């Protein structure tokens, strides 16, 4: 499979140089050190030249794996093949620029590696993934992430650095009467400030005592947890999903534990497909301070949903009625009622580009604990 470099090498010399020059000029203006200070007018002054310099996406009537797009406030360029995939995306470049770069590669039929990098005005994150699939229905994942944030300046924290690690496994069955798939992941998160910070902690959780404040103690935090997913198929037309996550976070000041909190979330969902294109979906989720239940009945393009949310401040009940209008379809389109398909995995090259959902996307709230 030819690499991106090989594809570019086959371009005519002038177009090749123009493409590289345009890309270099654009990327120089969105460097990691000053992306939020970029002059958006200058940044995309050469958008037309860049589009002209890029190679055509069609070759003798056949599609090529490269692509480029520019719409509203998003620009994207990428490459996609069976064994390798990457894309770079710049969003909200007229107001608050955010840069995302994803890369994935299938090194063999059983192993893949990849990751993603994101950068905006308040934080940046690098995620690396390794996927091992010894069998078609078994996968192991190991992942690591580093997050840097300066969003805590208001709390006296100049910058925060957070490291996350995850290991997980998942297996699915197609010949079992009830068991569909099972997955488990364990993760750990360590966060600390790059310099000393103002630290505040409640000395007595049962009172309104604001606690003790010290401007000279280094703040840090640690989270450990696990995530369990179990999916069942009671019948060929029904599915039950069970999810449970438990984590414990501890916050420190100068290596002394100040505050510990335990978070537990559970969720159960079910789907049932009936005759005449009728579908029934429902679920219940609960956490330490939040509960939600919902029930949806759908038929063809119509659906009706009843939901109720409960938290410390009260309860909220909602009723929604919806009608779906497909666009760009013929009036003679065949009726589709949906079905519960057999469990499977997405291609390895795609899985290596995604961040594990168990890893936190936001920095831990170290420095101030309330």
């Amino acid at each position: 499979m030819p690499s991106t470099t090989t594809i570019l090498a086959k371009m005519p010399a002038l177009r090749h140089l123009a493409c590289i020059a345009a890309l270099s000029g654009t990327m120089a203006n969105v460097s990691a050190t000053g992306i939020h200070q970029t002059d958006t007018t200058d940044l995309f002054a050469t958008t037309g030249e860049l589009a002209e310099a890029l190679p055509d996406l069609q070759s003798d009537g056949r599609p090529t794996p490269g692509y480029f797009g520019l719409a509203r406030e998003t620009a994207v360029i990428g490459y996609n093949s069976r064994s390798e995939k990457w894309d770079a995306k710049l969003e909200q470049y007229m107001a608050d620029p955010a840069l995302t770069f994803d890369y994935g590669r299938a090194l063999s039929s059983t192993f893949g590696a990849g990751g993603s990098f994101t950068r905006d005005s308040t934080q940046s994150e690098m995620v690396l993934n390794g996927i091992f699939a010894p069998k078609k229905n078994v996968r192991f994942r190991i992942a690591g992430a580093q997050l840097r944030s300066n969003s805590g300046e208001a709390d006296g924290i100049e910058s925060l650095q957070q490291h996350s690690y995850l290991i997980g496994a998942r297996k699915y069955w197609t010949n079992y009467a009830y068991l569909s798939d099972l997955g488990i992941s364990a993760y750990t998160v360590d966060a600390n400030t790059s310099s000393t910070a103002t630290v505040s902690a409640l000395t007595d959780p049962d009172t309104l005592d604001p606690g003790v404040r010290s401007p000279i103690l280094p703040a840090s935090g640690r989270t450990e947890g696990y995530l369990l997913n179990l999916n069942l198929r009671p019948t060929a037309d029904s599915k039950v999903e069970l999810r449970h996550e438990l984590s414990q976070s501890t916050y420190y000041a100068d290596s002394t534990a100040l505050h510990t909190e335990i978070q537990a979330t559970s969720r159960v969902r079910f789907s049932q497909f009936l005759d005449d294109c009728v579908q029934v979906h429902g679920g219940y989720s609960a956490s330490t301070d939040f509960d939600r239940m919902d029930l949806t009945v759908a038929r063809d393009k119509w659906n009706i949903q009843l939901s109720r949310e409960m938290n410390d401040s009260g309860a909220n009940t909602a009723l929604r009625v919806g009608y779906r209008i497909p666009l760009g379809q013929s009036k003679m389109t065949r009726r589709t009622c949906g079905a519960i398909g057999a469990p499977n995995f997405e291609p390895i090259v795609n899985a290596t580009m995604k961040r594990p959902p168990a890893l936190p996307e936001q920095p831990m709230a170290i420095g101030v604990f309330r």
Side-chain angles (χ1 to χ4, degrees), residues 47 68-76 90-93:
T47 300
F68 171 74
L70 183 62
R72 294 183 179 274
E73 295 189 15
T74 300
V76 61
L90 183 62
E91 299 179 284
Q92 300 294 329
Y93 53 79

Side-chain angles (χ1 to χ4, degrees), residues 29 37-47 93-95:
N29 286 331
Q37 299 176 349
T38 302
D39 187 338
T40 53
T41 303
D42 295 338
L43 176 62
F44 281 87
T46 59
T47 300
Y93 53 79
M94 298 298 292

Side-chain angles (χ1 to χ4, degrees), residues 42-200:
D42 295 338
L43 176 62
F44 281 87
T46 59
T47 300
E49 291 85 347
L50 174 58
E52 290 294 330
L54 288 170
D56 294 333
L57 301 186
Q58 300 290 329
S59 177
D60 299 330
R62 297 173 298 174
T64 59
Y67 56 89
F68 171 74
L70 183 62
R72 294 183 179 274
E73 295 189 15
T74 300
V76 61
I77 183 172
Y79 173 86
N80 188 0
S81 68
R82 292 186 60 184
S83 61
E84 185 179 20
K85 183 177 181 179
W86 63 265
D87 62 74
K89 181 187 298 183
L90 183 62
E91 299 179 284
Q92 300 294 329
Y93 53 79
M94 298 298 292
D96 188 14
L99 177 66
T100 302
F101 180 80
D102 302 313
Y103 179 83
R105 184 177 181 86
L107 303 177
S108 68
S109 60
T110 60
F111 183 73
S116 65
F117 173 79
T118 58
R119 168 78 185 191
D120 58 29
S121 59
T122 60
Q123 69 182 39
S124 63
E125 183 186 41
M126 171 72 76
V127 179
L128 299 178
N129 288 304
I131 304 291
F132 176 55
K135 296 181 180 180
K136 182 180 179 180
N137 64 332
V138 178
R139 277 194 183 176
F140 296 94
R141 174 195 289 269
I142 183 171
Q146 183 186 72
L147 183 147
R148 294 176 179 271
S149 173
N150 59 1
S151 59
E153 292 180 350
D155 296 328
I157 300 177
E158 294 182 2
S159 63
L160 178 144
Q161 183 170 284
Q162 180 169 290
H163 296 88
S164 307
Y165 307 94
L166 176 141
I167 184 170
R170 194 175 189 93
K171 180 177 181 178
Y172 69 80
W173 294 265
T174 56
N175 55 349
Y176 280 20
Y178 299 102
L179 186 59
S180 174
D181 58 279
L182 173 66
I184 186 170
S185 302
Y187 58 90
T188 180
V189 181
D190 288 293
N192 58 79
T193 58
S194 60
S195 62
T196 58
T198 300
V199 176
S200 175

Side-chain angles (χ1 to χ4, degrees), residues 202-210:
L202 287 176
T203 57
D204 187 353
D206 298 326
T207 70
L208 297 179
D209 181 7

Side-chain angles (χ1 to χ4, degrees), residues 221-284:
R222 181 180 181 87
T223 297
E224 295 177 332
Y226 72 87
L227 175 64
L228 176 67
N229 290 279
L230 175 63
N231 295 331
L232 307 174
R233 295 188 65 182
T235 66
D237 298 320
S238 63
K239 179 173 67 173
V240 178
E241 304 174 22
L242 304 173
R243 183 182 187 273
H244 178 70
E245 182 175 6
L246 179 66
S247 65
Q248 176 177 299
S249 300
T250 304
Y251 299 90
Y252 301 88
D254 197 21
S255 301
T256 301
L258 294 179
H259 179 70
T260 299
E261 60 185 21
I262 297 177
Q263 292 286 338
T265 59
S266 300
R267 184 183 70 186
V268 56
R269 295 202 61 80
F270 74 90
S271 298
Q272 177 73 55
F273 290 81
L274 306 173
D275 297 334
D276 198 24
C277 272
V278 176
Q279 306 174 27
V280 180
H281 307 277
Y284 173 77

